[in-house]
Amino acid sequence: MRKTICLLPGDGIGPEILAQGAACLKAVAAKYGHEFIFVDALIGGAALDATGQPLPQATIDSCLGADAIYLGAVGGPKWDAAAPESRPERGILGIRKALGLFANLRPARLWPELAGACLLRADIAAKGLDLVVVRELTGDIYYGEPRGLESRNGLRTGYNTMLYNEEEIRRIAKIAFETAMGRSKKVCSVDKSNVLETSRLWKEVVNETAMLYPGIELSHMYVDNAAMQLVRDPSQFDVLLTGNIFGDILSDEATVITGSLGMLPSASLGKANPGLFEPIHGSAPDIAGTDQANPLATILSGAMLLRLGLGMPEEAQCIENAVRETLAAGYRTPDIMEKGKVATGCKGMGQEVLKRI
Ligand code: NAD
């Protein structure tokens, strides 16, 4: 198959890790007889320096013309003093909006080879952790109107509006159910329906949508309980379906307990536009240019790009197997280093995965 992939390296370690990820995609294309055309575009601080904007129109056009978008990371101290509208991070929010990316998928997986890095007690970690948070990304209290700051009765008062309509809930629920179909067919929907009207509608529409997926086992959990259960026994979860604000918090919690920020990929999907695939970590300015960054989160985001963005599950599995074998062979970047393992850097780790593809 012939596919176009837009590469957005960004800032800090972004270009280093994305180079390794793109090399893996090239190797997969060669192995399976595909032709991947890579188009580079600017985003974040790199775009600000070159064009004065964190998301130039040319980048949006390149993304819209591609079959999938592969991003490194943006941001860094160089641009910390920039005005809010021209901070590098605006580039990411802008591209999500421009492409209508309403679903964010974050797998959190405890690789058996990295069990030592897990922040949970050994007996809890031993039960396993392999879940996906499916988070709605373009609605909820972050976008609802009215919002504002004003004086009420002489007191400074801030307010936001938690808001979802049934269509927004239905489309993200479908993504969660479809994700679960390819896994162990269990979805837990998170809400606060004991207090919030928005959550009552959420639960109702999720239940209605579930009728279309009779093979799925659906459960519901209040968000406060979900936060607790994630550290008490994460092995009970497969797909966690959440709104924007609950998912923002729970997806960070679910992924960070694996202990390896440099291992965690993500995907953001829209209705028709290409999806965007990126590691969950930032641009790590403290280690940029030192070849210490772990490229595996980016390489695994490449696997998500193949599976969800280009419909190539076998090719995705090939990358995931190569990562697994590289870890089993003992290779470790500094962030996941343990005694007795083989120290390597960003390029070295990329090379080891390539060899196994
Ligand atoms: P960060 O994720 O960049 O770094 C946090 C810590 O984790 C650092 O010590 C870093 O060295 C380490 N780390 C991160 N990725 C790593 C990897 N692949 N391998 C090894 N170690 C890794 O978060 P931060 O320091 O809070 O933010 C730095 C910049 O990144 C900021 O400008 C922030 O706005 C931006 N940021 C961007 C994104 C994105 O592009 N999606 C996400 C989060 C933060």
Side-chain angles (χ1 to χ4, degrees), residues 186-190 217-221 237 239-242:
K186 269 171 59 181
V187 174
C188 177
S189 172
V190 174
E217 182 189 327
L218 172 66
S219 59
H220 301 272
M221 196 177 275
F237 297 117
V239 173
L240 269 174
L241 164 62
T242 77

Side-chain angles (χ1 to χ4, degrees), residues 5 7 17-18 20-22 24-25 68-73 104-107 111 261-269 275-281 294-310 312 315-316 319-320 323 353:
I5 298 168
L7 298 179
I17 52 178
L18 200 65
Q20 300 310 318
C24 290
L25 291 184
I69 301 155
Y70 200 15
L71 174 81
N104 184 236
L105 275 66
R106 271 199 196 184
W111 298 74
L261 197 60
M263 295 292 304
L264 301 163
S266 78
S268 301
L269 307 174
L276 184 146
F277 304 85
E278 58 176 322
I280 73 156
H281 59 72
N294 184 346
L296 294 180
T298 310
I299 292 173
L300 291 167
S301 301
M304 292 188 87
L305 182 154
L306 291 169
R307 182 178 286 113
L308 302 173
L310 304 183
M312 299 180 176
E315 290 83 339
I319 289 193
E320 286 160 356
V323 168
V353 177

Side-chain angles (χ1 to χ4, degrees), residues 13 73-76 89 92 261-262 278 281-287 293-294 335:
I13 60 169
V74 303
E89 292 78 4
I92 300 224
L261 197 60
E278 58 176 322
H281 59 72
S283 60
D286 52 333
I287 56 167
N294 184 346
D335 59 312

